[in-house]
Amino acid sequence: MKNKYSIFSLIKNAFSYHENWEKAWKDPAPKKEYEAVIIGGGGHGLASAYYLAKKHNMKNIAVVEKGWIGGGNTGRNTTIIRSNYLWDASAGLYDHALKIWEGLSQELNYNVMFSQRGVMNLAHNLQDVRDLKRRTHANRLNGIDAVYLNTEEVKKFCPIINTSPNIRYPVLGGTLQRRAGTARHDAVAWGYARGADEMGVDIIQNCEVKGIKRNGDCVEGIETTKGFIKTKKIGVVAAGHSSVIANMAGLKLPLESKPLQALVSEPVKPIIDTVVMSNAVHAYVSQSDKGELVIGAGTDDYVSYSQKGSHDIVEGTLNAILELYPIFSRMRMLRQWGGIVDICPDASPIISKTSIKGLYFNCGWGTGGFKATPGSGDLFAHTIANDEPHKLNAAFNINRFVSGDLVDEHGAAAVAH
Amino acid sequence: MFLINCPFCGEREQSEFKAGGEAHIVRPKQPTELSDDEWAEYLFMRKNIKGVQFERWNHIHGCRKWFNMARDTSNDQIKAVYKMGEKPPVK
C-alpha cells in the first residue's frame, strides 16, 4: 500500500527536506509472461491498465513503453476537456470520460488539476451559427450541459475577444459548456501510473515493441528490446504509431498519422480564464496555471512521423489569434512542438477487437484524445477483459469501415480536423 | 516545412502543394461486383508507413498538376519525384 498524498504527508516529508518520498512507480524488468500487455505508456494506455487491474481484477499485466511514460502525445496536447459532441455515440463516449474526470483527483489520490473553467466555441458565419445551435440542442437532448451565447454574451464571458463587426471573420455567437475545462496532462499519466503500480501492474519503460508473435489467428506474445514477453491479450494504445504496430501483426488500419502542432507563449498574469475555440478560423487558446498562453494549431495534410509540422500552419493560427485577441499582439512565443496524431476517415476513435484473437486496438483519437483519457481507458479495459465492447464503445468498432456505420464527427467536432 | 521539386515547375515550398495521400491505389474496375470488405480496403485502409512511402501530391498553388513522390515519413526527406502513370522507383 502506498503512502497517501495529503497535507499531513507533505508536512511530514518537509521535515526530511522532501528527500524520502516513496517512488510513485517501480522500474521492474519484464516477467516472462503476463495475462495481458498494454503497448503504449501514455495516458490512455496507463488508464487502460489501471482499470483492468481495478475493475476487472487482472493484476498480472504490464504496460510497455518505447520511451518514458507520458512522453508522447500525453505531454504534447493542449489539455482541453469537453464533451459537447454532436452525435449520440460520441456524446456518450466523451461525457462518460468527463464524468470520470470530475472525481479523478480523489479516485487516484493525485491532483490532476482538473479545472472546469468552461469551453467556448465561436461562430463566425451563418452556417456556424446554425451548426452550433443544432449542436447545443443535440447536447442537451443527450444530457450534456450547453448554452448558446450571442455576441454580447460572448464578450461578457471573455472580455478580451475582439467582437467588432469589422474583422474578417466577426464573432456572431458561440456555445458554452461550463463543465468543460482543462487538466494537467503529465499528472494524468503519473496519477494512473502510480495507481496501476500500486495494484501490481508492471510499468516497463524504454522497452520498444519490435514484433507481434502470432499463432494462426491468435496472439502469443511480443518481441521487445527487452526480450520476448508471452501473453494472450495485447492492447495496443500507440497513438500515432498504431499503424506501425498493426503492420507487425499483419493488419491494416484506416488511419493516417499526421503532425499536429501547439505552442505556448511566455508566462503572463491571468488574462483568459476559460478556453476559447474557433472552428472556422482554426485557433484555440487557454492559459496554463503557469501563465503561458496555450495555443493549438492545426494538422498538416501529409503523413509524417517526424514530430515536426510546417511553419505556415503555425502562422495561420497566430494570424487568427491576433485578429480575435489584438491584446496578444506583442506576446512572444516560448516553445512550439509537434505530436503525431492518428486520424480516422470519420475523425472518431477505434476502441475495438480485431480479426486476430487477443489483439485489441485503442487508436484513431486524432486531434482530440486527451479529453477522453479516463473514459477511453475504462472502456478499453472492459473490451479487453470481456472480449466484448461496452455499450458505450460498441459504435467505435473497427468493422464500421466495412458496414459503413461511421460516426462522422469531422465537421461536428468543435475544431476542424 | 520542406522543399518539393515539382516535375513541371521546379523547386518550390511545400506550402504551395496539397498532399493527396497514398499513391498507386487502383480504382476498382468492376465497382458493382465489390464486396463490402473490398470497398473498405479500397476506400479506408491505408499502409500509413513509417519510412519510405509512395504518395500523390498536387501543386495547387502552381501548375495544379498531380504527380507522385517517394518520401521518408520518419524525417520528411524526399527520395524521388515522378509523374503520374509512372512506376514507383525501385530504390
Side-chain angles (χ1 to χ4, degrees), chain A residues 4 78 80 135 183 192 237 332 369 381 401:
Chain A
K4 201 169 179 310
T78 50
I80 296 164
R135 185 147 63 78
Y192 273 122
V237 202
R332 282 167 297 188
F401 298 96

Side-chain angles (χ1 to χ4, degrees), chain A residues 66 241 243-244 247 252-257 301-306 309-312 345 401-402 406, chain B residues 1-2 14-15 18-19 21-22 36-37 40-41 44-50 53 57 71 73-76:
Chain A
K66 175 170 68 170
H241 282 70
S243 298
V244 177
N247 288 341
K252 236 164 141 187
L253 295 173
L255 296 175
E256 284 193 308
S257 296
D301 64 351
Y302 53 86
V303 169
S304 178
Y305 289 84
S306 66
S310 304
H311 291 140
D312 53 304
F401 298 96
V402 176
L406 303 179
Chain B
M1 179 78 80
F2 43 87
Q14 171 263 318
S15 55
K18 170 98 183 138
E22 193 179 318
D36 287 352
D37 281 311
E41 180 72 21
F44 298 127
M45 300 303 164
R46 295 292 177 263
K47 289 182 192 152
N48 198 23
I49 290 168
K50 183 180 186 178
Q53 162 161 296
W57 284 75
R71 186 174 57 94
T73 60
S74 64
N75 56 17
D76 293 336

Side-chain angles (χ1 to χ4, degrees), chain A residues 189-412:
Chain A
W190 298 337
Y192 273 122
R194 180 170 170 265
D197 182 90
E198 186 175 358
M199 291 182 285
V201 175
D202 280 355
I203 296 163
I204 303 159
Q205 303 182 70
N206 297 310
C207 180
E208 187 177 352
V209 174
K210 292 290 189 186
I212 289 179
K213 196 175 169 204
R214 281 173 59 177
N215 179 8
D217 278 342
C218 301
V219 293
E220 283 200 323
I222 53 171
E223 292 289 352
T224 75
T225 49
K226 292 189 174 178
F228 180 73
I229 302 171
K230 200 175 158 191
T231 183
K232 287 199 171 72
K233 290 191 172 192
I234 301 170
V236 185
V237 202
H241 282 70
S242 297
S243 298
V244 177
I245 305 282
N247 288 341
M248 292 176 188
L251 269 186
K252 236 164 141 187
L253 295 173
L255 296 175
E256 284 193 308
S257 296
K258 297 177 176 181
L260 174 67
Q261 294 178 84
L263 55 162
V264 294
S265 72
E266 58 190 342
V268 291
K269 288 192 172 176
I271 181 75
I272 178 164
D273 63 356
T274 184
V275 183
V276 186
M277 313 180 79
S278 169
N279 187 348
V281 298
H282 207 297
Y284 56 96
V285 63
S286 63
Q287 192 171 15
S288 75
D289 291 354
K290 282 186 283 183
E292 303 156 325
L293 293 182
V294 183
I295 294 168
T299 50
D300 280 291
D301 64 351
Y302 53 86
V303 169
S304 178
Y305 289 84
S306 66
Q307 291 190 327
K308 281 180 276 191
S310 304
H311 291 140
D312 53 304
I313 300 279
V314 173
E315 192 180 356
T317 291
L318 289 179
N319 282 343
I321 293 273
L322 289 192
E323 181 147 281
L324 279 176
Y325 313 92
I327 193 173
F328 294 152
S329 66
R330 306 236 176 133
M331 281 292 259
R332 282 167 297 188
M333 292 300 141
L334 209 58
R335 297 192 305 278
Q336 168 272 346
W337 64 92
I340 302 306
V341 297
D342 46 327
I343 302 175
C344 271
D346 60 354
S348 286
I350 295 168
I351 313 172
S352 177
K353 307 202 280 187
T354 63
S355 54
I356 300 166
K357 194 168 162 37
L359 186 64
Y360 306 85
F361 269 87
N362 183 354
C363 60
W365 289 95
T367 59
F370 177 74
K371 65 174 83 68
T373 306
S376 153
D378 182 31
L379 299 172
F380 195 46
H382 181 101
T383 308
I384 294 174
N386 299 302
D387 198 36
E388 278 302 322
H390 187 276
K391 68 178 190 319
L392 286 174
N393 68 310
F396 299 95
N397 63 65
I398 216 161
N399 209 40
R400 72 178 189 267
F401 298 96
V402 176
S403 69
D405 193 8
L406 303 179
V407 187
D408 186 8
E409 285 285 352
H410 253 297

